[in-house]
Amino acid sequence: MRGRRLLIVVIVIIAAAVIVFFRTYDGKPGPLPSADEIKAELNEYDSEADAAVVLNNVKLTEQQVFIPFISSQGSYGMGFLKWEKRKWGVARVDMSGRPEVRVTDHSDPSERYVVWNNNPLEKVKAFRFYLIRDRNAGMSNGVYYYVPRVQMEMLVNVTEQPYGAMPFPEEWADFMREDEKLGEAPAASIMDNLFSQSYSRPSTIYVGYLPVYAKDAPQLGSSSKSGDEDTEFLMIMNETDLERPKS
């Protein structure tokens, strides 16, 4: 009798494990929905999307796809599809089309894409993207530190690429990794080394962009954006935010 009860318990445990596995296992991504199906899903997810034309589907990873689209009112929006629970679904819709960062792996700085879908009526000629680390100085746990400013630039011609998904520059990702390591580096003093202590060196890194407009570009109002856990917003910058080499 005890053996039979034990067998029943084992069967129940295995059955429960199988159920949990199939509920959480995403499996290999299937084919993408058609353009009409994508439009319907975008509009169902956000009624304000009013998607009328799907411009493209840009694969970011096997499980994530970027969808630039145009609404029936002429707005240039962005949709994001994600393969979860063995099906494709809309993860987010953004109606501004303005640049942002899409994160595909939060543990790796290189697993990011700068995405945009620019409306030609805004007459943007280019986006200048920047990775910036602000300079800083002070003391942490009795150790003086100085953090020099870093400014890296990437230019994208929007007239040639009205929409896009630019992989995060490897130089930027490498810098972010090194900065994180330096922030956790051991203190330099003899006493600190003896006791294997470390200090925290504050560092602020952010990504922003500066739109370069044509001379006859219209005055544009601000637009609001709301994101999800895979969205990193970009700061809209001015020339005064940048540092240029002195001639």
Side-chain angles (χ1 to χ4, degrees), residues 134-202:
D134 288 333
R135 64 173 53 84
N136 196 2
M139 177 185 287
S140 178
N141 293 341
V143 177
Y144 288 101
Y145 64 84
Y146 172 69
V147 181
R149 178 182 170 92
V150 171
Q151 179 177 297
M152 299 181 180
E153 179 179 324
M154 180 70 66
L155 180 69
V156 173
N157 187 326
V158 181
T159 58
E160 296 176 358
Q161 302 181 62
Y163 64 82
M166 181 184 74
F168 215 60
E170 194 58 39
E171 182 185 13
W172 293 15
D174 287 342
F175 175 75
M176 291 175 69
R177 294 189 193 99
E178 290 303 314
D179 184 80
E180 184 175 354
K181 290 179 183 177
L182 288 173
E184 299 171 352
S189 72
I190 295 175
M191 292 301 294
D192 280 339
N193 285 332
L194 284 174
F195 292 101
S196 300
Q197 293 179 345
S198 63
Y199 72 96
S200 174
R201 174 185 57 78

Side-chain angles (χ1 to χ4, degrees), residues 124-131 151-158 172 208-212 234-235 237-239 242 244:
V124 176
K125 297 191 299 181
F127 287 129
R128 283 159 42 193
F129 295 105
Y130 293 92
L131 180 140
Q151 179 177 297
M152 299 181 180
E153 179 179 324
M154 180 70 66
L155 180 69
V156 173
N157 187 326
V158 181
W172 293 15
Y209 74 100
L210 193 155
V212 180
L234 302 185
M235 178 184 296
M237 308 185 73
N238 299 303
E239 288 289 351
L242 305 172
R244 301 296 182 190

Side-chain angles (χ1 to χ4, degrees), residues 5-153:
R5 288 179 178 174
L6 180 60
L7 178 61
I8 293 173
V9 170
V10 170
I11 292 174
V12 170
I13 292 174
I14 292 174
V18 170
I19 292 171
V20 170
F21 173 79
F22 278 103
R23 283 186 175 179
T24 58
Y25 176 63
D26 290 332
K28 184 178 179 180
L32 282 173
S34 68
D36 286 340
E37 290 171 331
I38 289 174
K39 286 187 293 184
E41 291 191 26
L42 292 174
N43 295 336
E44 182 179 354
Y45 181 88
D46 185 347
S47 59
E48 294 184 4
D50 194 19
V53 179
V54 170
L55 297 173
N56 202 348
N57 57 76
V58 183
K59 183 184 290 185
L60 306 181
T61 67
E62 289 297 321
Q63 293 81 25
Q64 297 192 50
V65 178
F66 165 54
I67 306 291
F69 68 90
I70 305 174
S71 76
S72 63
Q73 302 299 314
S75 297
Y76 282 62
M78 302 185 293
F80 301 92
L81 301 186
K82 204 168 186 178
W83 177 264
E84 289 182 315
K85 298 180 179 179
R86 300 184 298 281
K87 66 178 183 179
W88 288 104
V90 178
R92 178 168 169 267
V93 170
D94 172 76
M95 292 307 298
S96 76
R98 295 182 181 177
E100 63 184 53
V101 172
R102 192 69 184 169
V103 182
T104 57
D105 184 344
H106 291 264
S107 64
D108 186 351
S110 65
E111 295 299 319
R112 286 167 164 77
Y113 290 82
V114 181
V115 296
W116 67 90
N117 185 19
N118 185 64
N119 189 332
L121 294 178
E122 296 187 358
K123 295 192 176 182
V124 176
K125 297 191 299 181
F127 287 129
R128 283 159 42 193
F129 295 105
Y130 293 92
L131 180 140
I132 292 176
R133 181 181 68 187
D134 288 333
R135 64 173 53 84
N136 196 2
M139 177 185 287
S140 178
N141 293 341
V143 177
Y144 288 101
Y145 64 84
Y146 172 69
V147 181
R149 178 182 170 92
V150 171
Q151 179 177 297
M152 299 181 180
E153 179 179 324

